[in-house]
Amino acid sequence: LIGSLAGPVTLQKSYATGGVQGGGLVGGLIGRSGNVSFNVPGLAREDDVRTIQDTYATGNVTGVNNRAYFDADSDFGEGYVEFGTYAGGLLGASVDTSTARSYASGIVSNEQPEFAESLPSGFMKYAYGSATGGLIGAAAVTSPTATLNDSVVILDSFSAVTLQDSTDNPKGALIGRSIWKTEPGPQTQPGVDLSSIIQNTYYDQT
């Protein structure tokens, strides 16, 4: 339905039934909800939040790797680098966004990028890896003044998605990956209790 949703806004009473396939940020309803990059923290304003409510998506979501190719004359030599995808049944990436009374069904599948042995694998997986979620591929907070549950709450929602991802990508029945990134560098907030932000929300594959 929407590739990128930006600015303080409420999206409500909306749905999508078609399938979607792509790389980067892919969701059944919205590819990305948020104004800033995970890798550029601290740019969000306190009022720069989005609310998604009374929505659903029922189509299949397929995440695929992107590739950047280099010719023989480049600094890297001839070859390519792969970049992963955040794929979710409802949202690919939820940045400073709250979701209420929404659901997703269908199939969510994803690929895992391969990185050259010469590259630092931990950093590459953090910065360019994939994540797969039944409802949200990756949920993140970027404001330096916000706590996780100030900006991200998943309320009265559910996923009936079938996950098809046999790789070691981060994955979850509701959220594939959660990020609290308020400082530059490859870090997430330790000790985040996801039960404080996931309220009356469940996964069902019966």
Side-chain angles (χ1 to χ4, degrees):
L1 184 69
I2 299 173
S4 180
L5 184 68
V9 65
T10 296
L11 177 70
Q12 59 186 352
K13 298 181 180 178
S14 301
Y15 67 92
T17 59
V20 59
Q21 174 177 312
L25 306 169
V26 184
L29 187 74
I30 299 170
R32 171 195 177 126
S33 175
N35 288 347
V36 299
S37 168
F38 296 146
N39 296 318
V40 187
L43 298 182
R45 303 187 309 271
E46 291 186 8
D47 63 344
D48 185 18
V49 296
R50 280 142 298 284
T51 301
I52 298 170
Q53 58 190 33
D54 303 307
T55 66
Y56 67 87
T58 59
N60 295 338
V61 177
T62 304
V64 297
N65 295 330
N66 288 323
R67 287 185 177 182
Y69 289 88
F70 307 101
D71 59 34
D73 295 330
S74 73
D75 293 338
F76 304 97
E78 187 174 5
Y80 65 87
V81 174
E82 290 188 335
F83 301 94
T85 295
Y86 291 157
L90 191 72
L91 293 94
S94 173
V95 183
D96 301 324
T97 300
S98 292
T99 303
R101 299 182 301 279
S102 298
Y103 72 89
S105 61
I107 298 171
V108 176
S109 58
N110 206 357
E111 297 179 342
Q112 182 180 33
E114 296 182 0
F115 304 115
E117 293 182 359
S118 59
L119 298 174
S121 61
F123 172 78
M124 294 300 292
K125 287 181 179 180
Y126 171 84
Y128 304 112
S130 296
T132 310
L135 199 64
I136 299 171
V141 168
T142 61
S143 171
T145 60
T147 60
L148 190 61
N149 58 341
D150 282 337
S151 297
V152 179
V153 177
I154 303 172
L155 177 67
D156 299 331
S157 299
F158 73 92
S159 168
V161 159
T162 298
L163 292 180
Q164 291 186 351
D165 184 347
S166 59
T167 73
D168 62 358
N169 287 331
K171 63 183 72 71
L174 293 173
I175 300 175
R177 180 182 180 193
S178 61
I179 304 167
W180 186 2
K181 187 171 178 61
T182 60
E183 299 290 342
Q187 98 296 328
T188 56
Q189 177 69 20
V192 173
D193 181 6
L194 291 181
S195 66
S196 67
I197 68 165
I198 302 175
Q199 303 172 14
N200 195 32
T201 295
Y202 64 94
Y203 171 76
D204 184 8
Q205 198 183 3
T206 59

